[in-house]
Coordinates of all heavy atoms in Angstrom, one line a residue:
I250 N 92.1 -48.4 -38.1 CA 93.1 -48.4 -39.2 C 94.5 -48.3 -38.5 O 95.4 -49.1 -38.9 CB 92.9 -47.2 -40.1 CG1 91.6 -47.4 -40.9 CG2 94.1 -47.0 -41.1 CD1 91.5 -48.6 -41.8
D251 N 94.7 -47.5 -37.5 CA 96.0 -47.4 -36.9 C 96.4 -48.6 -36.1 O 97.6 -48.9 -35.9 CB 96.0 -46.2 -35.9 CG 96.2 -44.9 -36.6 OD1 96.4 -44.8 -37.8 OD2 95.9 -43.8 -36.0
S252 N 95.4 -49.5 -35.8 CA 95.7 -50.7 -35.0 C 96.0 -51.9 -35.9 O 96.3 -53.0 -35.4 CB 94.5 -51.0 -34.1 OG 94.4 -50.0 -33.1
I253 N 95.8 -51.7 -37.2 CA 96.1 -52.8 -38.1 C 97.7 -52.8 -38.4 O 98.2 -51.9 -39.0 CB 95.4 -52.7 -39.5 CG1 93.9 -52.7 -39.2 CG2 95.8 -53.7 -40.5 CD1 93.0 -52.4 -40.5
N254 N 98.3 -53.9 -37.9 CA 99.7 -54.1 -38.0 C 100.1 -55.3 -38.9 O 101.0 -56.0 -38.5 CB 100.4 -54.2 -36.6 CG 100.2 -52.9 -35.8 OD1 100.5 -51.8 -36.4 ND2 99.9 -53.0 -34.6
N255 N 99.5 -55.4 -40.0 CA 99.7 -56.5 -40.9 C 100.2 -55.9 -42.2 O 99.4 -55.3 -42.9 CB 98.4 -57.3 -41.1 CG 98.6 -58.6 -42.0 OD1 99.5 -58.6 -42.8 ND2 97.8 -59.6 -41.7
K256 N 101.4 -56.1 -42.6 CA 102.0 -55.4 -43.8 C 101.4 -55.9 -45.1 O 101.5 -55.3 -46.1 CB 103.5 -55.6 -43.8 CG 104.2 -54.9 -42.6 CD 105.6 -54.8 -42.8 CE 106.4 -54.2 -41.6 NZ 106.0 -52.9 -41.2
S257 N 100.7 -57.1 -45.0 CA 100.1 -57.6 -46.3 C 98.7 -57.0 -46.5 O 98.1 -57.2 -47.6 CB 99.9 -59.1 -46.2 OG 99.0 -59.5 -45.2
I258 N 98.2 -56.2 -45.6 CA 96.9 -55.5 -45.7 C 97.1 -54.0 -46.0 O 97.7 -53.3 -45.2 CB 96.0 -55.7 -44.5 CG1 95.7 -57.1 -44.2 CG2 94.7 -54.9 -44.6 CD1 95.0 -57.4 -42.9
N259 N 96.7 -53.5 -47.1 CA 96.7 -52.1 -47.4 C 95.6 -51.5 -46.6 O 94.5 -52.0 -46.5 CB 96.4 -51.8 -48.9 CG 97.5 -52.4 -49.8 OD1 98.7 -52.3 -49.5 ND2 97.1 -53.1 -50.8
K260 N 95.9 -50.3 -46.0 CA 94.9 -49.7 -45.1 C 94.9 -48.2 -45.4 O 95.9 -47.6 -45.6 CB 95.2 -50.0 -43.7 CG 96.5 -49.6 -43.2 CD 96.8 -49.9 -41.8 CE 98.2 -49.3 -41.4 NZ 98.4 -49.4 -39.9
T261 N 93.7 -47.6 -45.4 CA 93.5 -46.2 -45.7 C 92.3 -45.7 -44.8 O 91.3 -46.4 -44.7 CB 93.2 -46.0 -47.2 OG1 94.2 -46.6 -48.0 CG2 93.2 -44.5 -47.5
H262 N 92.5 -44.5 -44.3 CA 91.4 -43.9 -43.5 C 90.9 -42.7 -44.2 O 91.6 -41.9 -44.8 CB 91.9 -43.5 -42.1 CG 90.9 -42.7 -41.3 ND1 90.9 -41.4 -41.2 CD2 89.8 -43.2 -40.7 CE1 89.8 -41.0 -40.5 NE2 89.2 -42.1 -40.2
F263 N 89.5 -42.5 -44.1 CA 88.9 -41.4 -44.7 C 88.0 -40.8 -43.6 O 87.3 -41.5 -42.9 CB 88.0 -41.8 -45.9 CG 88.8 -42.3 -47.0 CD1 89.1 -43.6 -47.2 CD2 89.3 -41.4 -48.0 CE1 89.8 -44.1 -48.2 CE2 90.1 -41.9 -49.0 CZ 90.3 -43.3 -49.2
S264 N 88.0 -39.5 -43.5 CA 87.2 -38.8 -42.4 C 85.7 -38.8 -42.8 O 84.9 -38.7 -41.9 CB 87.7 -37.4 -42.1 OG 87.7 -36.7 -43.3
D265 N 85.4 -38.9 -44.1 CA 84.0 -38.8 -44.5 C 83.8 -39.7 -45.8 O 84.7 -40.1 -46.5 CB 83.6 -37.4 -44.8 CG 84.4 -36.7 -45.9 OD1 84.1 -37.0 -47.1 OD2 85.4 -36.0 -45.6
K266 N 82.5 -40.0 -46.0 CA 82.2 -40.8 -47.2 C 82.5 -40.2 -48.5 O 82.9 -40.9 -49.4 CB 80.7 -41.1 -47.1 CG 80.3 -42.0 -45.9 CD 78.8 -42.3 -45.9 CE 78.0 -41.0 -45.6 NZ 76.6 -41.2 -45.5
N267 N 82.4 -38.9 -48.6 CA 82.6 -38.3 -49.9 C 84.1 -38.4 -50.4 O 84.3 -38.7 -51.5 CB 82.2 -36.8 -49.9 CG 80.7 -36.6 -49.8 OD1 79.9 -37.5 -50.2 ND2 80.3 -35.5 -49.2
S268 N 85.0 -38.2 -49.5 CA 86.4 -38.4 -49.8 C 86.7 -39.8 -50.1 O 87.5 -40.1 -51.0 CB 87.3 -37.8 -48.7 OG 87.1 -38.4 -47.5
F269 N 86.1 -40.8 -49.4 CA 86.2 -42.2 -49.7 C 85.8 -42.5 -51.1 O 86.5 -43.1 -51.9 CB 85.5 -43.1 -48.7 CG 85.4 -44.5 -49.2 CD1 86.4 -45.3 -49.2 CD2 84.2 -44.9 -49.8 CE1 86.3 -46.6 -49.7 CE2 84.0 -46.2 -50.3 CZ 85.1 -47.1 -50.2
V270 N 84.6 -42.1 -51.5 CA 84.0 -42.4 -52.8 C 84.9 -41.8 -53.9 O 85.2 -42.5 -54.9 CB 82.6 -41.9 -52.9 CG1 82.1 -41.9 -54.4 CG2 81.6 -42.7 -52.0
R271 N 85.3 -40.6 -53.8 CA 86.2 -40.0 -54.8 C 87.4 -40.8 -55.0 O 87.8 -41.0 -56.2 CB 86.6 -38.5 -54.4 CG 85.6 -37.5 -54.7 CD 86.1 -36.1 -54.5 NE 86.7 -35.8 -53.2 CZ 86.0 -35.4 -52.2 NH1 84.7 -35.3 -52.2 NH2 86.6 -35.2 -51.0
Q272 N 88.1 -41.3 -54.0 CA 89.3 -42.1 -54.1 C 89.0 -43.5 -54.6 O 89.7 -44.0 -55.5 CB 90.1 -42.1 -52.8 CG 91.3 -42.9 -52.8 CD 92.4 -42.4 -53.8 OE1 92.5 -41.2 -53.9 NE2 93.0 -43.3 -54.5
F273 N 88.0 -44.1 -54.0 CA 87.8 -45.5 -54.3 C 87.2 -45.7 -55.7 O 87.5 -46.8 -56.2 CB 86.8 -46.1 -53.2 CG 86.8 -47.6 -53.3 CD1 87.9 -48.3 -52.8 CD2 85.7 -48.3 -53.7 CE1 87.9 -49.7 -52.8 CE2 85.7 -49.7 -53.8 CZ 86.7 -50.4 -53.3
K274 N 86.6 -44.8 -56.3 CA 86.1 -44.9 -57.7 C 87.3 -45.2 -58.6 O 87.2 -45.9 -59.6 CB 85.4 -43.7 -58.1 CG 83.9 -43.7 -57.7 CD 83.3 -42.5 -58.4 CE 81.8 -42.5 -58.1 NZ 81.0 -41.4 -58.8
K275 N 88.5 -44.7 -58.2 CA 89.7 -45.0 -59.0 C 90.3 -46.4 -58.8 O 91.1 -46.8 -59.6 CB 90.8 -43.9 -58.7 CG 90.3 -42.5 -58.9 CD 91.4 -41.6 -58.3 CE 90.9 -40.1 -58.2 NZ 91.8 -39.3 -57.5
E276 N 89.9 -47.0 -57.7 CA 90.5 -48.3 -57.3 C 89.5 -49.5 -57.4 O 90.0 -50.6 -57.3 CB 91.0 -48.2 -55.9 CG 92.0 -47.1 -55.7 CD 92.5 -46.9 -54.2 OE1 92.3 -47.9 -53.5 OE2 93.0 -45.9 -53.9
I277 N 88.3 -49.2 -57.5 CA 87.3 -50.3 -57.4 C 87.5 -51.5 -58.3 O 87.3 -52.6 -57.9 CB 85.8 -49.7 -57.6 CG1 84.8 -50.7 -57.1 CG2 85.6 -49.2 -59.0 CD1 83.4 -50.1 -57.1
D278 N 88.0 -51.2 -59.5 CA 88.2 -52.3 -60.5 C 89.3 -53.3 -60.1 O 89.3 -54.4 -60.6 CB 88.6 -51.8 -61.8 CG 87.4 -51.1 -62.5 OD1 86.3 -51.4 -62.1 OD2 87.6 -50.2 -63.4
K279 N 90.1 -53.0 -59.1 CA 91.1 -54.0 -58.7 C 90.6 -55.0 -57.7 O 91.3 -56.0 -57.3 CB 92.4 -53.3 -58.2 CG 92.3 -52.6 -56.9 CD 93.7 -52.0 -56.6 CE 93.7 -51.3 -55.2 NZ 94.9 -50.7 -54.9
Y280 N 89.4 -54.9 -57.3 CA 88.8 -55.9 -56.3 C 87.7 -56.7 -56.9 O 86.9 -56.2 -57.8 CB 88.2 -55.1 -55.1 CG 89.3 -54.4 -54.4 CD1 89.4 -53.0 -54.5 CD2 90.2 -55.0 -53.6 CE1 90.4 -52.3 -53.8 CE2 91.2 -54.4 -52.9 CZ 91.3 -53.0 -53.1 OH 92.3 -52.3 -52.4
D281 N 87.6 -57.9 -56.5 CA 86.6 -58.9 -56.9 C 85.4 -58.8 -55.9 O 84.3 -59.1 -56.3 CB 87.1 -60.3 -56.9 CG 88.2 -60.4 -57.9 OD1 88.1 -60.1 -59.1 OD2 89.3 -60.9 -57.5
L282 N 85.6 -58.5 -54.7 CA 84.6 -58.5 -53.6 C 84.8 -57.3 -52.7 O 85.9 -57.0 -52.3 CB 84.8 -59.8 -52.8 CG 83.8 -60.0 -51.6 CD1 82.4 -60.2 -52.1 CD2 84.3 -61.1 -50.8
L283 N 83.6 -56.6 -52.5 CA 83.6 -55.5 -51.6 C 82.7 -55.9 -50.4 O 81.6 -56.4 -50.6 CB 83.0 -54.3 -52.2 CG 83.6 -53.8 -53.5 CD1 82.9 -52.6 -54.0 CD2 85.1 -53.5 -53.3
Y284 N 83.2 -55.7 -49.2 CA 82.4 -55.9 -48.0 C 82.2 -54.6 -47.3 O 83.2 -53.9 -46.9 CB 83.1 -56.9 -47.1 CG 82.4 -57.2 -45.8 CD1 81.3 -58.0 -45.7 CD2 82.9 -56.5 -44.6 CE1 80.7 -58.2 -44.5 CE2 82.2 -56.7 -43.4 CZ 81.1 -57.6 -43.3 OH 80.5 -57.8 -42.1
L285 N 81.0 -54.2 -47.1 CA 80.7 -52.9 -46.4 C 80.0 -53.2 -45.1 O 79.0 -53.9 -45.1 CB 79.8 -52.0 -47.3 CG 80.5 -51.3 -48.4 CD1 80.6 -52.2 -49.6 CD2 79.7 -50.0 -48.7
K286 N 80.4 -52.5 -44.0 CA 79.7 -52.6 -42.7 C 80.0 -51.4 -41.9 O 81.1 -50.9 -41.9 CB 80.2 -53.9 -42.0 CG 79.6 -54.1 -40.7 CD 78.7 -55.3 -40.7 CE 78.2 -55.6 -39.3 NZ 76.8 -55.2 -39.1
G287 N 79.0 -51.0 -41.2 CA 79.1 -49.8 -40.3 C 77.8 -49.6 -39.6 O 76.8 -50.3 -40.0
S288 N 77.7 -48.7 -38.7 CA 76.5 -48.4 -38.0 C 75.5 -47.8 -38.9 O 75.8 -47.2 -39.9 CB 76.7 -47.5 -36.8 OG 77.3 -48.1 -35.7
R289 N 74.2 -48.1 -38.7 CA 73.2 -47.6 -39.5 C 73.3 -46.0 -39.7 O 73.0 -45.5 -40.7 CB 71.8 -47.9 -38.9 CG 70.6 -47.4 -39.6 CD 70.5 -48.2 -41.0 NE 69.6 -47.4 -41.8 CZ 70.0 -46.7 -42.9 NH1 71.3 -46.6 -43.2 NH2 69.2 -46.0 -43.6
G290 N 73.7 -45.4 -38.6 CA 73.9 -43.9 -38.7 C 74.9 -43.4 -39.6 O 74.9 -42.2 -40.0
M291 N 75.8 -44.3 -40.1 CA 76.8 -43.9 -41.1 C 76.2 -43.9 -42.5 O 76.9 -43.5 -43.5 CB 78.0 -44.9 -41.0 CG 78.8 -44.7 -39.7 SD 79.4 -43.1 -39.4 CE 80.7 -43.0 -40.6
C292 N 75.0 -44.5 -42.7 CA 74.3 -44.5 -44.0 C 75.2 -45.0 -45.2 O 75.4 -44.3 -46.2 CB 73.8 -43.1 -44.3 SG 72.8 -42.4 -43.1
L293 N 75.7 -46.2 -45.1 CA 76.6 -46.7 -46.1 C 75.9 -47.0 -47.4 O 76.5 -47.1 -48.5 CB 77.3 -48.0 -45.6 CG 78.3 -47.8 -44.5 CD1 79.0 -49.1 -44.2 CD2 79.3 -46.7 -44.9
E294 N 74.6 -47.0 -47.4 CA 73.9 -47.2 -48.7 C 74.1 -46.1 -49.7 O 74.1 -46.3 -50.9 CB 72.4 -47.4 -48.4 CG 71.6 -46.2 -48.0 CD 71.7 -45.9 -46.5 OE1 72.4 -46.6 -45.8 OE2 71.0 -44.9 -46.1
T295 N 74.5 -44.9 -49.2 CA 74.8 -43.8 -50.1 C 76.1 -44.1 -50.8 O 76.3 -43.6 -52.0 CB 74.9 -42.5 -49.3 OG1 75.9 -42.6 -48.3 CG2 73.6 -42.1 -48.6
I296 N 77.0 -44.8 -50.2 CA 78.3 -45.2 -50.9 C 78.0 -46.1 -52.1 O 78.5 -46.0 -53.1 CB 79.2 -45.8 -49.9 CG1 79.8 -44.8 -48.9 CG2 80.4 -46.5 -50.6 CD1 80.6 -45.4 -47.8
I297 N 77.1 -47.1 -51.8 CA 76.8 -48.0 -52.9 C 76.1 -47.3 -54.1 O 76.5 -47.5 -55.2 CB 75.8 -49.1 -52.3 CG1 76.5 -49.9 -51.3 CG2 75.3 -50.0 -53.5 CD1 75.6 -50.8 -50.5
K298 N 75.2 -46.4 -53.8 CA 74.6 -45.6 -54.9 C 75.7 -44.8 -55.7 O 75.6 -44.8 -56.9 CB 73.5 -44.7 -54.3 CG 72.3 -45.4 -53.8 CD 71.3 -44.4 -53.2 CE 70.2 -45.2 -52.6 NZ 69.2 -44.3 -51.9
E299 N 76.6 -44.2 -54.9 CA 77.6 -43.4 -55.6 C 78.6 -44.2 -56.4 O 79.0 -43.8 -57.5 CB 78.4 -42.6 -54.5 CG 77.6 -41.5 -53.9 CD 77.4 -40.3 -54.8 OE1 78.3 -40.0 -55.7 OE2 76.3 -39.7 -54.7
L300 N 78.9 -45.4 -55.9 CA 79.9 -46.2 -56.6 C 79.3 -46.9 -57.9 O 80.0 -47.2 -58.8 CB 80.5 -47.3 -55.7 CG 81.4 -46.8 -54.6 CD1 81.8 -47.9 -53.7 CD2 82.6 -46.1 -55.2
F301 N 78.0 -47.2 -57.8 CA 77.5 -48.1 -58.9 C 76.4 -47.4 -59.7 O 75.7 -48.0 -60.5 CB 76.9 -49.4 -58.3 CG 78.0 -50.2 -57.6 CD1 78.1 -50.2 -56.2 CD2 78.9 -50.9 -58.4 CE1 79.1 -51.0 -55.6 CE2 79.9 -51.6 -57.8 CZ 80.0 -51.7 -56.4

Side-chain angles (χ1 to χ4, degrees):
I250 295 299
D251 285 348
S252 296
I253 298 172
N254 293 315
N255 183 331
K256 295 192 186 303
S257 67
I258 298 174
N259 298 313
K260 58 182 185 168
T261 309
H262 175 258
F263 296 90
S264 57
D265 62 80
K266 293 181 291 186
N267 292 331
S268 58
F269 165 76
V270 168
R271 278 192 304 275
Q272 178 62 37
F273 194 71
K274 276 186 173 184
K275 301 172 192 171
E276 301 175 23
I277 192 169
D278 289 337
K279 69 180 185 180
Y280 298 105
D281 301 303
L282 177 70
L283 307 178
Y284 176 79
L285 283 84
K286 179 110 174 103
S288 282
R289 179 68 197 106
M291 294 299 289
C292 304
L293 292 183
E294 71 276 5
T295 60
I296 290 175
I297 295 168
K298 290 176 184 175
E299 289 289 323
L300 291 176
F301 298 104

